[in-house]
Amino acid sequence: MQLIQIVEALIYAAPEPVTTSEIAKAVRRAAADSDLPEARAWESLPEAEVAHVIDDLAQSLSEGGHAIELRETSSGWRFMTRVEYGDWIRALLPEMRPEKLSPAALETLALIAYRQPITKADIEAVRGVSVDAMLQKLIDRDLVHISGRADLPGRPMLYETTSTFMEHFDIKSLDELPNATELRRVPLPSASSPRTESQETSLLPGIEP
Amino acid sequence: MQLIQIVEALIYAAPEPVTTSEIAKAVRRAAADSDLPEARAWESLPEAEVAHVIDDLAQSLSEGGHAIELRETSSGWRFMTRVEYGDWIRALLPEMRPEKLSPAALETLALIAYRQPITKADIEAVRGVSVDAMLQKLIDRDLVHISGRADLPGRPMLYETTSTFMEHFDIKSLDELPNATELRRVPLPSASSPRTESQETSLLPGIEP
Amino acid sequence: MTTPESESILPPEPAYAGGTLAPSAETHDSHYKVSLDVFEGPLDLLLYLIKQDEIDIYDIRIERITSQYMSYLDAIRTLNISLAGEFLVMAANLCYLKSRMMLPKHVQPPEEEAEEEDPRWDLIRQLIEYKKFKEAARELGEKEAIRQNQFTHSPDPIQSDEEGERPLDEGVGIFDLIRAFQKVLDRLKTGEGLGEIVDDRYTVADKIELLQQLLAPGSTYPFTALFDDATTKHEMIVTFLAVLELMKLNVLQTRQERVLGEIVIYRPAS
């Protein structure tokens, strides 16, 4: 039994992406309970060695001409099919036709992504339309969440993108957003007078409608 | 692009095991729509050739020293981690992040927690969206259960939180819910006319789940 | 509330980039019906008009753009399509700008902060900001398209020496059964008619006997396949009741390898 195989099995079996450090920690813990003689050495496995093994694994997959690759997402490593097989997979699984977000949803998300945390009024100031319903839909799809309240009159809520957002767009960090350096600094027209939030706040504090 | 890679991608991405004949059919269908020159030959791909490719794939995985193998189950082919890694994975998986609840799930759960026992129609009256799937997920995760039926037309089911819910949120009684006294009294929109439940109730009277 | 209820999280059917939109008031209905959904808001519409005119954003002629904008709104209104409030607010804003621009400089009412500033400036700045994020949104959309061509697997069964470790091995709840049954009924509903046989020929006892013949001890059978031969809804219900009865008697068990997976009926050997 080799470390590379354990790492492969682990990434494959994990229900969500796993980070290098999670893998290292888990292997150390499991090695301590193992009867295998080779496991002794893994009881103090450094993270750097796991990182190395992950590189080897990714390389062996791509050199072996596999349709599956090891990819690093914002929340860790996971196996994914290569882009070029997308059409073939959809022929087998027509129900997996992707649900693309609408331009309005993308605009709203872009604003939140680049300027988070941001208030609803500030989003509306740029988009020029009311975004109540849209925000609720984005929250329902777990692309956006409420991160707190701004220190402004009316204490408006602040919105941020989630890890689901990162996964959905395959972005590892916010710096990776297209044109990040420019857009994250652009001075925005902001809501001149912070509007009072609608019923959602007054009705059920803590339970978002 | 080679057939073996397409087959690998298909088996990997399919949510359920796939049979040789399903794979052959999917490849033929996608080949007809494909621009790739090599796809011409696959438009009339015989099942026997797919079977052959599957054998090759299984062999290349086992010869490559992978921790994942291709196995034929009663309903088709799928990748699985090899038996010998079972112990490791089992030891490692508890280390992984537990799957988190989506905001929409939490909302639904909160409504049930504060207003239990509650009907689906009343939850939907508040959330404004259908919650069927959500309720099922919460039930699957043992956070919510059906506690009975309301004394209303159609005898709609009533939902309540479970003891797992209490453990998960670390509360000893429902009175310990934040803001309990207030939120349990807040007027909420309720289903104006109680909807009749779908066929499951009317069709099968006498089967109490 | 001015919330545009039509604002969907999914894309509108017609493609904006199609370029078939003619903003002249004479053009007839279908264009406008399409276009209102196509513009994400008044700023988007203004950007479109500016692009059509091939002018620089910094060089908008308020008078011209206002009249184009207004004729666009008029056309929409004659079609009785309800207009999101934001479009009207922008119209008012444009008219105000236009009237200011028409006054000689020295009689223009003083703006609060902007002393010498061009009255168009606020609008221009807003358009430029909006355009940047519209572009960013487009790029996000491209990333999304790439990502959606990659697939990952759903959590799979892990093989191990010990049995009974799988999360869903302990049998399926009655709800899964009812849901699966419902699915079968739905499928029947969408298929051809149920046939006109009115005679209720099957009893639960008949079906119990049949099921026991069908399933030898130790064998399994896909749950939904039990209903493949049923010709009436009644027969399906009777079959289902027979399954429930046999489960109660511990003659049959159900298994499901994964959540929402295929349910299998199993008859233990003993």
Side-chain angles (χ1 to χ4, degrees), chain B residues 4-189:
Chain B
I4 192 168
Q5 294 160 334
I6 294 173
V7 171
E8 186 181 32
L10 287 180
I11 296 174
Y12 180 80
E16 308 265 342
V18 278
T19 63
T20 311
S21 107
E22 284 170 327
I23 296 171
K25 221 182 292 171
V27 173
R28 286 196 295 265
R29 193 177 331 138
D33 293 338
S34 172
D35 299 331
L36 292 174
E38 58 263 51
R40 284 285 83 77
W42 301 330
E43 284 178 36
S44 55
L45 183 71
E47 215 176 295
E49 197 174 332
V50 175
H52 193 73
V53 165
I54 288 174
D55 280 349
D56 289 348
L57 181 59
Q59 204 182 333
S60 97
L61 277 173
S62 80
E63 283 170 5
H66 286 281
I68 293 156
E69 63 184 352
L70 190 55
R71 287 185 50 100
E72 188 168 21
T73 71
S74 58
S75 48
W77 294 96
R78 77 181 323 173
F79 292 112
M80 285 182 168
T81 57
R82 302 176 78 93
V83 179
E84 56 265 46
Y85 300 96
D87 287 344
W88 284 86
I89 294 166
R90 211 138 12 103
L92 301 177
L93 280 183
E95 301 277 320
M96 308 280 166
R97 254 163 311 192
E99 206 192 320
K100 60 177 183 186
L101 291 172
S102 72
L106 269 178
E107 284 174 24
T108 310
L109 193 56
L111 262 167
I112 298 171
Y114 284 98
R115 311 310 288 244
Q116 56 193 302
I118 186 171
T119 63
K120 192 185 72 170
D122 278 348
I123 301 171
E124 290 177 345
V126 176
R127 293 214 55 232
V129 291
S130 157
V131 295
D132 287 286
M134 187 61 67
L135 272 177
Q136 193 51 51
K137 257 181 229 164
L138 293 172
I139 291 170
D140 284 346
R141 298 187 58 164
D142 194 25
L143 292 165
V144 163
H145 69 127
I146 292 157
S147 61
R149 286 173 185 276
D151 212 1
L152 289 169
R155 311 256 300 127
M157 309 207 193
L158 288 166
Y159 297 88
E160 278 184 3
T161 51
T162 61
S163 57
T164 310
F165 167 86
M166 307 273 262
E167 272 164 41
H168 190 277
F169 291 92
D170 197 22
I171 50 175
K172 277 185 228 86
S173 90
L174 292 176
D175 300 327
E176 264 183 41
L177 285 168
N179 247 342
T181 38
E182 186 195 336
L183 285 180
R184 287 160 88 174
R185 265 180 312 158
V186 178
L188 289 180

Side-chain angles (χ1 to χ4, degrees), chain A residues 36 47 54 79 93 103 108 142 144 148 162 186 190:
Chain A
L36 290 175
E47 209 176 303
I54 287 173
F79 293 114
L93 306 161
T108 310
D142 194 26
V144 163
T162 60
V186 181
S190 72

Side-chain angles (χ1 to χ4, degrees), chain A residues 71-75 166 169-176:
Chain A
R71 285 182 62 92
E72 187 171 22
T73 72
S74 59
S75 49
M166 307 283 264
F169 293 96
D170 194 20
I171 295 165
K172 260 178 273 174
S173 90
L174 292 174
D175 299 328
E176 241 187 49

Side-chain angles (χ1 to χ4, degrees), chain B residues 12-13 15-16 69 71 78-81 83 86 89-90 93 136 140 146 157 199-200 203-204 207 209, chain C residues 151-154 156-161 165 174-175 178-179 182 185 189 237 240-241 244 258-259 261:
Chain B
Y12 180 80
E16 308 265 342
E69 63 184 352
R71 287 185 50 100
R78 77 181 323 173
F79 292 112
M80 285 182 168
T81 57
V83 179
I89 294 166
R90 211 138 12 103
L93 280 183
Q136 193 51 51
D140 284 346
I146 292 157
M157 309 207 193
Q199 290 106 313
E200 59 214 57
L203 251 182
L204 296 171
I207 304 177
Chain C
F151 293 84
T152 189
H153 65 109
S154 32
D156 277 64
I158 298 152
Q159 295 186 73
S160 92
D161 295 329
E165 279 289 324
I174 195 136
F175 254 90
I178 290 178
R179 210 167 27 166
Q182 192 69 54
L185 288 180
K189 214 186 306 168
I237 294 169
F240 183 59
L241 292 174
L244 291 177
R258 52 172 50 240
V259 179

Side-chain angles (χ1 to χ4, degrees), chain A residues 90 102 107 130 168 186, chain C residues 7 9 86 129-130 144 149:
Chain A
R90 267 194 285 279
S102 68
E107 278 179 18
S130 155
H168 187 90
V186 181
Chain C
E7 197 176 38
I9 200 164
E86 293 93 352
E129 295 313 328
Y130 174 70
E144 178 187 50
N149 264 322

Side-chain angles (χ1 to χ4, degrees), chain A residues 187-204:
Chain A
L188 292 181
S190 72
S192 37
S193 63
R195 313 174 194 187
T196 43
E197 291 280 297
S198 47
Q199 304 103 307
E200 62 216 58
T201 25
S202 54
L203 189 62
L204 285 178

